Amino acid sequence: MALPAQLRAIQHHLRTAQEHEKRDPVVTYYCRLYAMQTGMKLDSKTPECRKFLVKLMDQLETMKKELNENDSITQEVVGNAHIENYALKLFLYADNEDRAERFHKNMIKSFYTSSLLMDVLSVFGELSDENIQHRKYARWKATYIHNCLKNGETPQSGPIGMDEDEEADFGAEGFSGQSFSHGGSFRADLPSQNQNQDQGPAPGIGFAQDPGSGPTGPPASNYNNIQIPPGAHAPANTPAELPPPSGEAGKAIPAARSVPAVDPSLLNAKQQGGIQLSPEDFTKAQKYCKYAGSALQYEDVSTAIQNLQKALKLLTTGKE
């Protein structure tokens, strides 16, 4: 069924979910969970919206059963790491292309999809300041480069040339979603009403594509103060398996991998005497290990090493 106009804010998140169904079902699941949470906040009472959300809940229930042995679905800390790593890989790929002045549609889409996945991270809790900055910058860059190419202009690479007076409506901006649990039935979250729309799992939810589906302008912010990691750190293989820019004879030019040096003091690490670790320390160490495991799924050795070293340092010294 078509996406109701009242839920237009979640159209790009749903499109991202559809695009990843075969490539990465974990991304699909959390994009739909975010869309459901945000849709509930937007309009859960209008009949057409209610019907759409019921079908979306059916899809989530089905996916949850199919992925019941996937740690990224059953453990939120793993799911959080999976989505965050994926979003940052897209961001770094696009940032690398931008700084190399290779402007093309795949790069624009990577920036914008990265910003959408930063939205999705809100299903796990409040976004970090760093992720908020990445989201704003990625969304601005996607808009800026898209508009430049559309108008036949040459974009400026990096965080320069930004017009802070422009405003934009990105739909989902400002909706962080409500804290609905995905541990039980999704329908329990829907306000009670007569639901004669319930007809079982939906084979697939479609939506009419907005003719101007691209972002329409950057949100206001002082981007010149945003600290963006250098594009040279972009991984050789991005999770989206993006094709190379046109005009490169069909051959991808992988970015050089920057593998951090291992701290020698951690090679034979032992806990220092008198160190008392708090429950929060154990939680942080576990999170670093989960991040490392998620990074290894994408063969990102650099990120894995950095997170494992952080975990070792915390466990042996009690300090980050």
Side-chain angles (χ1 to χ4, degrees):
M1 62 179 293
L3 181 73
Q6 300 94 314
L7 303 182
R8 184 174 177 271
I10 61 175
Q11 66 174 339
H12 296 298
H13 302 88
L14 289 173
R15 185 172 296 128
T16 299
Q18 286 188 334
E19 291 171 349
H20 287 80
E21 276 190 295
K22 293 183 179 179
R23 179 188 302 159
D24 192 327
V26 172
V27 171
T28 296
Y29 177 84
Y30 283 110
C31 282
R32 285 180 178 154
L33 180 61
Y34 172 85
M36 187 271 287
Q37 292 180 348
T38 306
M40 292 280 289
K41 187 172 182 179
L42 289 169
D43 188 340
S44 62
K45 296 182 179 180
T46 305
E48 62 268 27
C49 292
R50 192 177 183 82
K51 185 174 182 179
F52 187 91
L53 291 170
V54 166
K55 287 181 178 290
L56 185 54
M57 289 175 185
D58 285 333
Q59 284 191 320
L60 284 164
E61 292 282 11
T62 300
M63 288 195 72
K64 187 179 173 184
K65 291 176 183 176
E66 292 173 348
L67 301 171
N68 64 352
E69 295 184 359
N70 191 313
D71 287 347
S72 292
I73 302 300
T74 59
Q75 299 180 44
E76 286 197 356
V77 66
V78 184
N80 190 351
H82 186 103
I83 300 300
E84 186 171 33
N85 279 337
Y86 194 103
L88 289 175
K89 278 183 170 293
L90 287 176
F91 179 93
L92 290 173
Y93 164 81
D95 188 53
N96 186 56
E97 294 294 282
D98 175 46
R99 291 170 189 265
E101 299 184 350
R102 293 191 291 264
F103 307 110
H104 50 90
K105 290 181 179 179
N106 288 322
M107 175 254 274
I108 295 171
K109 186 170 184 179
S110 293
F111 264 137
Y112 192 57
T113 301
S114 173
S115 77
L116 295 176
L117 293 179
M118 292 296 176
D119 289 337
V120 172
L121 284 174
S122 66
V123 304
F124 304 105
E126 255 184 81
L127 295 184
S128 67
D129 290 341
E130 183 181 18
N131 285 338
I132 290 172
Q133 288 186 339
H134 279 129
R135 178 176 66 177
K136 288 181 178 180
Y137 182 81
R139 205 160 279 184
W140 180 87
K141 263 295 178 180
T143 303
Y144 169 69
I145 298 171
H146 169 79
N147 289 339
C148 283
L149 297 183
K150 182 179 179 182
N151 297 328
E153 301 171 0
T154 301
Q156 291 179 289
S157 62
I160 56 176
M162 299 159 189
D163 187 346
E164 298 175 24
D165 295 328
E166 290 189 66
E167 295 182 355
D169 176 15
F170 282 96
E173 187 82 336
F175 289 98
S176 59
Q178 296 173 333
S179 299
F180 297 108
S181 168
H182 64 284
S185 170
F186 291 103
R187 293 199 182 191
D189 295 323
L190 196 64
S192 59
Q193 252 188 21
N194 294 326
Q195 295 186 30
N196 56 12
Q197 307 97 326
D198 181 6
Q199 298 174 1
I205 294 179
F207 43 87
Q209 183 163 340
D210 180 9
S213 61
T216 56
S221 180
N222 185 2
Y223 296 97
N224 294 301
N225 293 330
I226 292 180
Q227 299 299 313
I228 302 299
H233 292 165
N237 300 307
T238 67
E241 300 175 1
L242 294 166
S246 57
E248 293 188 10
K251 294 183 179 180
I253 302 176
R257 289 189 184 224
S258 176
V259 179
V262 178
D263 184 347
S265 67
L266 297 176
L267 292 177
N268 296 301
K270 293 183 180 180
Q271 189 176 29
Q272 297 177 5
I275 298 298
Q276 295 292 325
L277 297 176
S278 67
E280 291 77 13
D281 291 331
F282 285 109
T283 300
K284 286 181 181 179
Q286 182 187 41
K287 193 171 183 178
Y288 286 136
C289 291
K290 297 294 186 185
Y291 282 171
S294 181
L296 288 175
Q297 290 182 342
Y298 296 124
E299 302 179 8
D300 186 350
V301 177
S302 175
T303 300
I305 291 175
Q306 288 175 347
N307 282 290
L308 288 173
Q309 290 192 129
K310 287 178 181 178
L312 276 173
K313 183 177 180 182
L314 179 59
L315 293 173
T316 55
T317 68
K319 299 177 182 178
E320 292 190 71

